[in-house]
Every structure is written in structure tokens, then in C-alpha cells.
Amino acid sequence: EGMTVVELSKRTGKSISDLQDIMVNVGEKVCSEFDSLSIDIAELVAMEVGVNVKRLHSNEGSEILPRPPVVTVMGHVDHGKTSLLDALRQTSLAAKEAGGITQHLGAFVVSMQSGASITFLDTPGHAAFSAMRARGAAVTDIVVLVVAADDGVMPQTLEALAHAKAANVPIVVAINKCDKPGANPERVKVQLASEGLALEEMGGDIQAVEVSATKKTGLDILEEALLLQAEMMELKARVDGPAQAYVVEARLDKGRGPLATAIVKAGTLICGRYVVVGAEWGRIRAIRDTIGKLTEKAKPAMPVEIEGLKGLPMAGDDIVVVESEERARMLSAGRKKKLDKDRLLKIGEERMELASPSEEESERVELPIIVKADVQGTVQAVTDSLRSLNSSQVFVSVVHVGVGSISQSDLDLAQACGACIVGFNIRSPPSAVIQAADRAKIKIILQRVIYHLLKDIGELIVEKAPGTS
Ligand code: GDP
């Protein structure tokens, strides 16, 4: 039993030193590459480099079956992403059964009469998409690019296009608001073609569908187009065996503790199993589908809410199933240690940069910010887009993030480090908090649109910039 580090390196395709680093992180002593590892440790290390543990034994007998596509909606602000998602959600049989009442869980499934289904991620926008991708979670199979027929291609349309291209994810165009008097779908097509999109009717392979989210027209055609695209991609997944999954959203529930919406990539997620989720761990106590019904198992592309984690994971975190509580703890501790190490390194680097300001940087505007948002996925998306403002002239430092409303302790922290507070997609704080913020001269920015938020922050930076009183 067991195998040497050399053997493990061959089977996983990772270098010996990479494997040894991981062994340190999971709390194992580094041994020489010719020493034998127990099969337990070999599995743990393999899991950490993303290799299906089964492969260490044998991969035979696991069935590979077609799976539904996972779709993200992107496009310019106000072009109707949210409206389109709402309309699509209502076309689902499940939504009809539930009387149209569905919770916001970060994802939903449209199941069609034919038996086919499509999974939609329902945090629209490219910020969430790229935040997930930055964490290595390639969850999205297809991007729906929403373009308003009366407005045409706009800056964020092009940004979304660039994100999809960079991720190598195919696009289906939804030309929305076709009900409007000023709608001009043909113009949108010409604009897209001039951006290099090879639309089907011009001999390319990108489908464009005319829809109206408010009048609910063209939705069935859009769904057909997505299924056709999925068919061409021949999406498949292993159905048996331990699940590999990703978190698309996480939040804290007062009664039920940390909850994560997960989408299974491969295998089957089963209630009662021990899992490691990012750097957190837990034992799955309950699995619920998107209409809140308890279920025992989740299959590929099926979004589910899992309960039983010890801490709050982040959108994009991977979920791996492990044998025992002991292993779950060990792996989680190893990952936490690595996160801490990376964080310290990063802080060190930022300090270095600050300690030796170059000519330009001595003029750099510093802006400490606290971010509060409705769900973990949004917290990350907002943080990432704020950090994207950093340059040699501007240093946005996100000093604290959290899920939920703005509290007195946020104010205390803001006062201590001279930060402003961003509340994204959350309700206005209680008036006592607002008054306290006023007294302490702490700026609170409440927004629901990233683009508007970035504009506000831009204005703050200009206010603070040297030379512009
Ligand atoms: P998002 O910012 O892309 O999520 O856009 P929203 O879904 O919030 O929509 C922006 C505005 O456009 C809202 O006032 C919607 O009611 C409106 N809208 C969205 N879809 C349609 C549509 O198909 N037709 C018309 N006439 N208005 C729409």
C-alpha cells in the first residue's frame, strides 16, 4: 500500500517540489521523494492539486453522461439583465409548481417540458464572473450577452465580451427590449458584427435572439438557442463518485449557520459527507434544491444549498469530499495556513510599496474602504472592482469586508482608520447608525450598481487628489 512521492508526481503531473509544499501545508512532514506515502496522504495531496482521487486507484466504471449547461448573463447596466433572469426564472416548471416563489440563492434551474434543463447563475454582471474566474472556478459554460435593442452596444457590452473571450466561453446574444418603439435589433447586429462577433445569419456560429424581458417574448427561443449551443459543446460529466463542486454564493443564516449555494461539476454530492470548502470544512447536514426542497443528492450542474459548514466560504471556492472529519480538519487547516501565508506576503509587498514611494507615488491618493454587502459573492465582486481602481496614483485599500448591514463596529473601525464605508445591495442602516456616522464624519456610500459605485469612488478620489482643492 502507498506510493512514493515520485510515483505521485507521475500520476498527478505535478512537480515533486509542488507536492512537497502541499504536504507541508496539510501538516505532513516532508519526506524524500523515494519514501512511501500512505494512501491517505497521497489522496489528500492529489485532491489538493485537483486530481480526482479515484484516478489514483482506477477510473473504470464511472459513467460519463451529458449534463445541463451553466449560464451567466452579462451586459451593459440597465439593458435588462435582472429583468431577463426574472423572466427566465418564471418560465421554469419548478417555479410554476412553487407558485412563482423562489428564493435568491445565486442560481436557478429552468427545466423544460422536453426534460432538458438549463442552470442560470443569477448574479448578473462581469464583476461576479471575473471574481469567480480569478479564483479558478470555471463554472460558466455559456454567456448570455444582453444588449438593449434601443440602446445598442455600449462600453460594458464590450467589457462583457472581452471577459467571455478571455475565459474562452461561447456567447449567445439576447437582444432585449424588442418591444420598445425605438427598438432596432438590426442595428445591434451590425454593431456586434463590427466588433468581430460572427453572427449566425452572417455565416458565423453565434446565435442572436430577439427578446423582451418585460413582455416575456422570445424567451423560449433563447432557451432553445442555449440548449443548441450546449449540444454543440457536448457538455458531459462523470456522475458517480465523489463530488467536485464550486460555491457560487454563500451567506450566513441566523438559525442555520453558514449556507453555501453550490454547483456540482462532477460526481454526486451526498448529504452526510465531510467536505472541505475553500479553507472551511464541515459535514453536510442538509441539501436543498433551489425551491427549498430537501434532497439527498446533487448531480452535475444542479445548484443546491448546503448546510453544515463551520465557516463562511467565498464564491468560487471549490468543494471536495473527504473521508473523515479528521481529514476535513487537516485539509482545512492546511489551506488556512497557506491563505495566511499568502496574505502576510501580500501585506508585506503593499508595505514595501508604501515605504518606498517613487516620485509619482508620493502624490498617491490613499483611500481606505470598508465593504458591506448582501451576500459573500457580492462582497467579493465589489472588493475586486474597487481594487481594480489601484494605480500609481490611487491606492484603494479594502480594510474590512463583511456580509450584512452596516453596524456600529463598522463605524468604529472606519473612524480608527479614516475609512469610508461602502454598502452594496443592502438596506439603509438604522438612523442611529447614520447619525453616529454623521457625527464622526464618516462617509457612507450606498449603491446597488457597481458602475455607479465606481463613479462615486472616482469622485471621492478626485476630491482627495492633491492639487484639486
Ligand atoms: P440591468 O441593470 O441590466 O439588470 O437592467 P434591469 O433588468 O434592471 O432593467 C433596467 C430597466 O429596463 C428597468 O426599468 C426594466 O423595467 C427595463 N427593461 C428591462 N427589460 C425590458 C424589456 O424587455 N422591455 C422594456 N420596455 N423595458 C425593459
Side-chain angles (χ1 to χ4, degrees):
E1 281 271 343
M3 61 176 69
T4 65
V5 182
V6 174
E7 240 176 294
L8 187 61
S9 160
K10 272 193 204 131
R11 299 236 200 149
T12 57
K14 297 281 163 178
S15 76
I16 288 169
S17 68
D18 280 356
L19 296 179
Q20 285 172 333
D21 278 351
I22 292 165
M23 281 156 54
V24 173
N25 285 329
V26 299
E28 270 304 296
K29 273 207 223 62
V30 184
C31 47
S32 115
E33 60 243 62
F34 300 111
D35 283 347
S36 187
L37 296 173
S38 77
I39 199 75
D40 269 18
I41 300 302
E43 278 188 7
L44 204 62
V45 174
M47 214 145 35
E48 279 304 88
V49 296
V51 170
N52 174 13
V53 174
K54 261 198 160 169
R55 205 192 297 170
L56 289 180
H57 311 287
S58 111
N59 204 15
E60 267 151 49
S62 45
E63 217 179 349
I64 312 280
L65 290 178
R67 63 164 176 86
V70 179
V71 176
T72 295
V73 171
M74 297 205 266
H76 195 72
V77 65
D78 280 344
H79 279 196
K81 297 180 292 294
T82 313
S83 310
L84 187 61
L85 282 166
D86 285 344
L88 287 166
R89 192 186 285 116
Q90 285 163 25
T91 66
S92 182
L93 292 172
K96 279 171 195 147
E97 278 167 25
I101 305 162
T102 44
Q103 293 167 275
H104 173 93
L105 285 183
F108 64 90
V109 180
V110 168
S111 23
M112 273 152 294
Q113 229 111 36
S114 65
S117 66
I118 306 170
T119 298
F120 288 92
L121 297 187
D122 85 1
T123 314
H126 60 250
F129 177 81
S130 50
M132 297 262 284
R133 212 165 68 84
R135 323 200 71 239
V139 194
T140 302
D141 300 306
I142 306 170
V143 163
V144 169
L145 182 65
V146 178
V147 189
D150 58 339
D151 206 19
V153 170
M154 295 299 275
Q156 283 172 298
T157 317
L158 299 179
E159 268 176 52
L161 208 56
H163 279 285
K165 257 193 202 144
N168 211 5
V169 176
I171 287 172
V172 169
V173 179
I175 304 178
N176 190 32
K177 306 199 188 185
C178 284
D179 60 293
K180 278 195 151 184
N184 189 348
E186 291 312 314
R187 188 178 69 115
V188 174
K189 288 179 196 168
V190 170
Q191 286 176 331
L192 288 172
S194 73
E195 293 299 334
L197 273 200
L199 298 184
E200 226 172 23
E201 49 191 273
M202 301 172 187
D205 56 5
I206 296 175
Q207 307 177 76
V209 180
E210 297 176 20
V211 301
S212 161
T214 44
K215 292 273 186 299
K216 301 194 172 41
T217 55
L219 300 178
D220 47 345
I221 302 172
L222 177 60
E223 288 164 359
E224 287 304 322
L226 288 168
L227 287 177
L228 185 64
Q229 178 64 45
E231 209 171 287
M232 290 193 293
M233 295 165 77
E234 297 187 27
L235 302 171
K236 290 198 169 94
R238 168 177 61 83
V239 189
D240 306 319
Q244 276 176 299
Y246 284 112
V247 173
V248 296
E249 194 165 287
R251 67 186 188 290
L252 205 56
D253 181 271
K254 274 214 185 88
R256 297 194 283 148
L259 300 175
T261 303
I263 291 189
V264 176
K265 269 276 327 184
T268 302
L269 195 63
I270 301 172
C271 198
R273 293 294 154 90
Y274 288 99
V275 287
V276 175
V277 182
E280 304 295 338
W281 71 279
R283 183 179 188 195
I284 303 179
R285 193 163 55 215
I287 302 180
R288 283 185 181 77
D289 68 9
T290 49
I291 54 171
K293 210 163 67 195
L294 281 169
T295 164
E296 279 298 303
K297 295 174 177 182
K299 302 237 176 251
M302 185 175 156
V304 286
E305 183 186 70
I306 59 174
E307 187 180 320
L309 303 180
K310 305 286 176 202
L312 200 62
M314 293 190 279
D317 277 345
D318 63 329
I319 303 179
V320 290
V321 179
V322 294
E323 288 287 293
S324 62
E325 173 168 345
E326 191 200 356
R327 263 199 224 180
R329 283 178 186 275
M330 182 157 83
L331 197 49
S332 148
R335 287 180 169 190
K336 279 197 173 130
K337 206 157 48 176
K338 180 159 189 306
L339 272 183
D340 285 346
K341 209 165 72 185
D342 291 351
R343 203 172 292 146
L344 279 178
L345 269 176
K346 209 163 163 210
I347 292 174
E349 277 167 17
E350 285 180 4
R351 282 233 183 88
M352 288 281 278
E353 278 174 30
L354 286 179
S356 56
S358 67
E359 194 78 350
E360 267 176 21
E361 281 168 352
S362 60
E363 302 261 291
R364 184 148 91 156
V365 181
E366 255 194 70
L367 201 62
I369 296 181
I370 292 170
V371 176
K372 297 299 290 272
D374 54 343
V375 291
Q376 188 66 42
T378 326
V379 169
Q380 259 174 276
V382 170
T383 306
D384 288 346
S385 26
L386 287 174
R387 289 209 173 111
S388 73
L389 294 172
N390 281 345
S391 68
S392 55
Q393 280 97 39
V394 177
F395 180 56
V396 173
S397 71
V398 178
V399 292
H400 174 68
V401 299
V403 172
S405 58
I406 297 168
S407 64
Q408 183 61 45
S409 80
D410 294 323
L411 295 186
D412 295 343
L413 183 62
Q415 193 160 25
C417 51
C420 71
I421 303 176
V422 165
F424 196 85
N425 220 11
I426 55 175
R427 252 178 256 144
S428 182
S431 57
V433 170
I434 293 188
Q435 282 161 14
D438 278 348
R439 275 196 302 276
K441 298 206 165 51
I442 295 166
K443 192 167 178 74
I444 294 181
I445 300 175
L446 296 172
Q447 277 298 0
R448 290 181 187 275
V449 178
I450 295 252
Y451 175 75
H452 292 163
L453 172 66
L454 293 182
K455 228 170 83 187
D456 288 350
I457 299 290
E459 279 162 18
L460 256 186
I461 290 169
V462 172
E463 265 173 44
K464 281 193 148 200
T468 62
S469 73

